Amino acid sequence: MRQPAPPPPPAALRDVVLDVPPALSARPAAMGASGNGAALPERLRLPVCFLGVFACYFYYGILQESITRGRYGEGAKQEKFKYALTLVFIQCVINAAFAKLLIHFFDAVKADRTRSWLYAACSLSYLGAMVSSNSALQFVSYPTQVLGKSCKPIPVMLLGVTLLRKKYPPAKYLCVLLIVAGVALFLYKPKKAAGSDDHVFGYGELLLLLSLTLDGLTGVSQDHMRAHYQTGSNHMMLNVNLWSTLFLGAGILFTGELWEFLSFTERYPSIIYNILLFGLTSALGQSFIFMTVVYFGPLTCSIITTTRKFFTILASVILFANPISSMQWVGTVLVFLGLGLDAKFGKVVKKTSH
């Protein structure tokens, strides 16, 4: 009688692969410098996020004003920095390189399916907003620029109502009204003598208005990409900055600004160090913002960035002797009060479908 065949050997053990939902797989990417949640103790998260955002963008603001409003040379040969396109080009190159590193180390598995033309369209409004904002500093003070850029909820709400047919709670309109009133007080200048050439709304303010409008368009296009393609923050940062680099590279070559900028840096080589730091603080600041949103949500992030902007204005007044009247301080407080209330009470309540 034949012996029964021995049982087959047990199958070799294999690694178990879990499909991680996109929302969870994107966490390390959004954390940027931190890598994963375990790397940073919970009690240190808020101080690290606050100090990271505050320090990076505080120094970013000081460098921006120093570069764009500084005087180079002496006497009759004094020059001003007029190379806004090249400045944004260098910033985009550093942002793209930083995003590439984040994807390589923290987000390599996640595939990006967003259409290239969407990135290209988003980059046009993105770089237009940055160039307009930097160019405005040649005509307005830095506190005016910061306060103007703080009014981003206005175009975002207007474009949301007109293009996306969104509905906002009454608190949102009240917050925007406070911001508008604060800006009006800040820009208001009492009439002086007939020969005075002071203006209430000039070229610099028009550039800020253009920058705000383009910021609103950028926000709408980014919302569209997140809603339809679940685009990750690092992939968005990389591709938008790559397209911006391509467009700006062509622009500075075509206009000849690149060669003028290189000649300027030969005369004043110390500016190269400030520009590189300017780009680096911008990229690091973005990673800390993503980390704050992941750990604590957009409300805490809005409070931190709003606080940073207020102290940036204060630093500009002290360090660069930008005078602000008592009425302008009232306007500034109204703007930041509106921003704070908007962060707390002005969010759209999303309806869940069953």
Side-chain angles (χ1 to χ4, degrees):
M1 186 173 178
R2 294 179 60 185
Q3 294 291 331
L13 295 176
R14 294 186 301 174
D15 293 332
V16 178
V17 180
L18 299 177
D19 290 329
V20 182
L24 295 178
S25 63
R27 281 181 65 91
M31 290 178 192
S34 66
N36 53 54
L40 192 64
E42 189 171 348
R43 61 188 176 84
L44 293 179
R45 289 178 185 175
L46 184 59
V48 167
C49 289
F50 177 82
L51 289 175
V53 172
F54 197 92
C56 287
Y57 280 110
F58 187 81
Y59 195 36
Y60 170 89
I62 292 174
L63 287 168
Q64 186 181 34
E65 183 166 12
S66 176
I67 292 167
T68 56
R69 292 182 63 83
R71 292 290 188 272
Y72 302 90
E74 296 179 356
K77 293 184 178 180
Q78 269 196 355
E79 298 181 67
K80 292 179 68 176
F81 186 87
K82 301 178 294 184
Y83 313 104
L85 289 178
T86 310
L87 182 64
V88 175
F89 173 78
I90 295 171
Q91 186 178 353
C92 289
V93 169
I94 295 174
N95 283 344
F98 196 80
K100 184 68 177 175
L101 286 174
L102 290 179
I103 291 172
H104 178 74
F105 287 108
F106 305 116
D107 205 14
V109 177
K110 187 179 179 183
D112 182 36
R113 298 179 178 85
T114 311
R115 303 282 182 87
S116 294
W117 70 267
L118 282 173
Y119 283 131
C122 182
S123 71
L124 287 174
S125 58
Y126 167 77
L127 67 88
M130 287 201 295
V131 171
S132 303
S133 177
N134 286 329
S135 299
L137 282 172
Q138 297 180 25
F139 306 97
V140 299
S141 67
Y142 189 75
T144 303
Q145 191 249 29
V146 173
L147 199 73
K149 292 289 287 182
S150 299
C151 301
K152 199 178 292 186
I154 299 174
V156 169
M157 189 182 76
L158 290 175
L159 291 169
V161 170
T162 55
L163 295 182
L164 302 179
R165 306 298 180 187
K166 283 186 176 181
K167 291 184 178 180
Y168 295 95
K172 181 79 172 181
Y173 292 96
L174 177 62
C175 296
V176 169
L177 185 63
L178 277 174
I179 295 170
V180 171
V183 171
L185 280 176
F186 190 90
L187 294 179
Y188 174 75
K189 296 181 178 67
K191 292 182 178 179
K192 296 184 179 180
S196 175
D197 58 353
D198 275 358
H199 60 272
V200 175
F201 206 85
Y203 191 55
E205 286 82 2
L206 285 174
L207 284 171
L208 286 177
L209 184 61
L210 174 63
S211 179
L212 277 175
T213 305
L214 293 172
D215 272 336
L217 288 173
T218 302
V220 168
S221 59
Q222 288 175 339
D223 285 343
H224 177 81
M225 284 188 277
R226 290 192 187 100
H228 291 82
Y229 299 96
Q230 290 77 48
T231 310
S233 57
N234 290 330
H235 285 285
M236 188 179 295
M237 183 178 174
L238 172 65
N239 288 283
V240 168
N241 280 288
L242 282 178
W243 277 102
S244 300
T245 301
L246 179 64
F247 291 138
L248 283 172
I252 59 179
L253 284 173
F254 181 76
T255 60
E257 183 179 305
L258 176 62
W259 317 119
E260 294 177 15
F261 170 77
L262 291 175
S263 176
F264 186 86
T265 56
E266 284 182 5
R267 296 192 296 275
Y268 311 104
S270 61
I271 197 175
I272 298 175
Y273 176 74
N274 284 343
I275 289 175
L276 292 177
L277 272 181
F278 173 75
L280 185 61
T281 52
S282 170
L284 282 173
Q286 285 191 30
S287 69
F288 277 113
I289 281 180
F290 295 148
M291 191 194 308
T292 305
V293 171
V294 168
Y295 281 145
F296 305 104
L299 171 59
T300 302
C301 186
S302 296
I303 293 171
I304 291 174
T305 53
T306 301
T307 306
R308 189 276 306 173
K309 288 176 182 177
F310 184 84
F311 280 98
T312 301
I313 290 179
L314 192 61
S316 178
V317 171
I318 296 171
L319 298 178
F320 295 94
N322 287 312
I324 289 187
S325 66
S326 56
M327 184 179 292
Q328 287 178 316
W329 274 119
V330 172
T332 301
V333 170
L334 281 179
V335 168
F336 285 103
L337 178 63
L339 289 171
L341 292 174
D342 178 54
K344 180 68 176 175
F345 303 109
K347 302 303 177 187
V348 180
V349 179
K350 295 182 179 179
K351 296 180 180 178
T352 56
S353 57
H354 298 282

